[in-house]
Amino acid sequence: MATLSDVARLAEVTAATVSNVLRNPDKVRPETAKRVMRAIRELGYRPNLNARALAEGRSTTLALMLSSIANPFYPEFVLAAERAARRAGYFLMVCNTDDDAEIGRAYLTQIAGTLAEGVLVLNTDIAINELCETAAVGAPIVLSLWEHPGRLPALPCVAVDFAQAGVLAARHLLELGHRDIGMLIGDGCGGLQDARATGFRDVMRDAGLEPDNAAVREIPDTIDAGYAACIDLLARESHLTALFATNDLLAIGALQALATRGHKVPDDVSVIGITDIQLAHQVRPSLSTVAINTEAIAQASIDLLIRLIRDPDVQTPLVVDVPPPVLVRRQSTAARK
Amino acid sequence: MATLSDVARLAEVTAATVSNVLRNPDKVRPETAKRVMRAIRELGYRPNLNARALAEGRSTTLALMLSSIANPFYPEFVLAAERAARRAGYFLMVCNTDDDAEIGRAYLTQIAGTLAEGVLVLNTDIAINELCETAAVGAPIVLSLWEHPGRLPALPCVAVDFAQAGVLAARHLLELGHRDIGMLIGDGCGGLQDARATGFRDVMRDAGLEPDNAAVREIPDTIDAGYAACIDLLARESHLTALFATNDLLAIGALQALATRGHKVPDDVSVIGITDIQLAHQVRPSLSTVAINTEAIAQASIDLLIRLIRDPDVQTPLVVDVPPPVLVRRQSTAARK
């Protein structure tokens, strides 16, 4: 079985360079890296991570645990997180809990501190105290996409000001003259998106408008659910001139429902979402939304996790702030007729 | 540090039951599993997978390597594969190579035979002979979504008859009376989707139609690329009454381009794709497509990988067939006017 030194000898570099090629490829000149990779392949060398992790008490793998890979937002987050991890010399493996807290627990037991040196957990159904127990005995855990900056968990987290996203959506619709606004509130993996809805309602109330409960639907976080809820709203609440959805999937479902029922967007009804997933600019009409900065959030989450791995004595709870949400005006919103 | 026996004692079950709860939860009654999970949490027990994998020479984790998590098809495949793995008592971790063969190699070196007991590789840029080298020294590798049933690799694989998908799309458009048909051919992670295009062209030629090269675009596998190519086609080839895309993303991009340019689908132009991703039924007009059975392919891929893990002496190359593609008629195709 070839060793790291064998590889170094064949590639005519130091062992540290071989290590760098494997862990911090950015630090190595491309030609050198190529020579090292050739030597690695020629010798069939494989860093035995199990043995090495046990010997060194560390691995080079991070885990990202998410609840629903089928929700198009998460693959976008995964891509950004994987790139951020790679830049720091870490691998990222992704575990999909399929919206099942029990599976999440099993993954945590399986990976935290053994397969992965640290775990990034996105909006989860697992209770915070259970995550704390895992963090206490195993590897660092960072919660990302935390929805409630005003109510912090006992774990390090990256908080996103989703209430502010709701505020921006409400201001935009009010400025366009809308008063009769329906709400689609997502009930997703991280629970009901009530911070977003509260931010929206607060602005409405400040403008003297009491939200109409008959025009509010709390629904699962999917395009299909947004579609069905909007079809239902259109049948019962024909006075609405705008729809606010707490995320883009619901808003895109609403766009499709409006098209199906022959309503023009934005002439008859304006629609706005939150997040700015790729699809938001790809659908027609393109979707106005409040963008959270997915790349910055992913980068900050990976940075925080690595910081905790490198220095376990860092004081917790830690909260990392990310850039505030930003309104993105596209074709789906216009002035009330 | 608590042991498996400690957990068994506290939960008043056998050690085998604790193992089952961790590996084959389906085999354990829910109440028992609950009691065991409670004991595991109470004792802070964590099966040290590194140690156990070294001791037993096995782990319980499979890896799925894919090149572009941003392509919406892959998350759908991941979900199906993760469920199939879980049913068999395995964890599945996902590695995104970000369309970079070098990263794919690094992941293989990092995970095959160490972190993961077997690796499922989806359409990859890594050369087959490199994968073979890895398979020879490390864990079993299964190629899935192999596009060329007539030209098999030296590795076990799950082949999908994509040529037949092209055949079905062509027959559908011909039956609807279309003769002037543009082609959007995806150049994705698994290379140019030429099997699909060839199947399509063969049917056209049998009908006495020579494909018009001016109306063919080879483009990256994204909605945005499909959109741009279709805008360009509309400007140059105004006689087209139908578009065939080798995958749904390109077709969805084409739908958006047609809407942007004021062409009605299917009245002015029919559009058909291949795959049947979730978005295909969610866009408006909904997309006619040729469905490959993603769930069956994922299940067959996981089954084959586990079979090779359990019996390394199985004769290779192995090819597993999956259900043939099926035409799904929706709103985006209609008779030529």
Side-chain angles (χ1 to χ4, degrees), chain A residues 159-191:
Chain A
V160 178
D161 193 351
F162 279 109
Q164 177 63 13
V167 166
L168 295 178
R171 282 193 195 141
H172 180 55
L173 292 181
L174 285 176
E175 276 164 23
L176 291 171
H178 294 284
R179 295 293 175 269
D180 298 302
I181 305 174
M183 290 176 75
L184 303 179
I185 305 177
D187 195 357
C189 359

Side-chain angles (χ1 to χ4, degrees), chain A residues 18 30 115 140 195 300:
Chain A
V18 178
L115 286 183

Side-chain angles (χ1 to χ4, degrees), chain A residues 159-281:
Chain A
V160 178
D161 193 351
F162 279 109
Q164 177 63 13
V167 166
L168 295 178
R171 282 193 195 141
H172 180 55
L173 292 181
L174 285 176
E175 276 164 23
L176 291 171
H178 294 284
R179 295 293 175 269
D180 298 302
I181 305 174
M183 290 176 75
L184 303 179
I185 305 177
D187 195 357
C189 359
L192 192 67
Q193 291 166 343
D194 50 357
R196 314 176 190 198
T198 302
F200 186 89
R201 284 189 169 116
D202 287 349
V203 173
M204 300 285 284
R205 288 210 181 90
D206 286 350
L209 297 167
E210 207 45 51
D212 176 1
N213 283 329
V216 177
R217 297 286 182 279
E218 297 183 353
I219 52 178
D221 248 2
T222 65
I223 291 179
D224 291 345
Y227 177 85
C230 182
I231 290 283
D232 178 61
L233 266 186
L234 290 172
R236 294 161 190 267
E237 308 287 331
S238 56
H239 61 294
L240 301 176
T241 67
L243 287 173
F244 161 64
T246 58
N247 66 64
D248 292 346
L249 291 179
L250 307 184
I252 289 166
L255 289 181
Q256 292 160 356
L258 287 157
T260 300
R261 285 289 180 263
H263 297 272
K264 286 205 175 124
V265 176
D267 298 354
D268 302 332
V269 181
S270 285
V271 178
I272 188 166
I274 288 178
T275 316
D276 200 18
I277 59 175
Q278 291 289 320
L279 274 176
H281 81 263

Side-chain angles (χ1 to χ4, degrees), chain A residues 69-72 222-224 256 279, chain B residues 72-77 79 83 248-249 252 275-284 286-287 289 294-295 330:
Chain A
I69 192 78
N71 176 331
T222 65
I223 291 179
D224 291 345
Q256 292 160 356
L279 274 176
Chain B
F73 168 73
Y74 291 104
E76 294 178 19
F77 189 97
L79 188 62
R83 287 178 179 165
D248 292 346
L249 291 179
I252 290 166
T275 314
D276 200 18
I277 59 174
Q278 291 288 321
L279 274 176
H281 81 264
Q282 292 170 332
V283 291
R284 290 292 172 280
S286 57
L287 180 69
T289 188
T294 305
E295 251 177 71
R330 294 205 184 93

Side-chain angles (χ1 to χ4, degrees), chain A residues 120 142-149 152-153 155-161 295-308 314-324:
Chain A
L120 192 60
V142 165
L143 285 179
S144 188
L145 294 168
W146 183 254
E147 299 243 350
H148 309 280
L152 291 174
L155 280 171
C157 81
V158 174
V160 178
D161 193 351
E295 252 178 69
I297 297 167
Q299 179 76 54
S301 305
I302 293 289
D303 287 350
L304 177 57
L305 185 58
I306 291 174
R307 186 172 151 205
L308 288 165
V314 166
Q315 194 88 30
T316 54
L318 281 176
V319 185
V320 171
D321 283 324
V322 291

Side-chain angles (χ1 to χ4, degrees), chain B residues 229-300:
Chain B
C230 183
I231 291 283
D232 179 61
L233 265 186
L234 291 172
R236 295 162 192 266
E237 307 288 333
S238 57
H239 61 293
L240 300 177
T241 66
L243 287 173
F244 161 64
T246 59
N247 65 63
D248 292 346
L249 291 179
L250 306 183
I252 290 166
L255 288 181
Q256 292 162 357
L258 288 158
T260 299
R261 286 289 180 262
H263 297 273
K264 286 206 175 123
V265 175
D267 297 353
D268 303 331
V269 181
S270 285
V271 178
I272 188 167
I274 288 178
T275 314
D276 200 18
I277 59 174
Q278 291 288 321
L279 274 176
H281 81 264
Q282 292 170 332
V283 291
R284 290 292 172 280
S286 57
L287 180 69
S288 294
T289 188
V290 179
I292 62 166
N293 190 327
T294 305
E295 251 177 71
I297 297 168
Q299 178 77 53

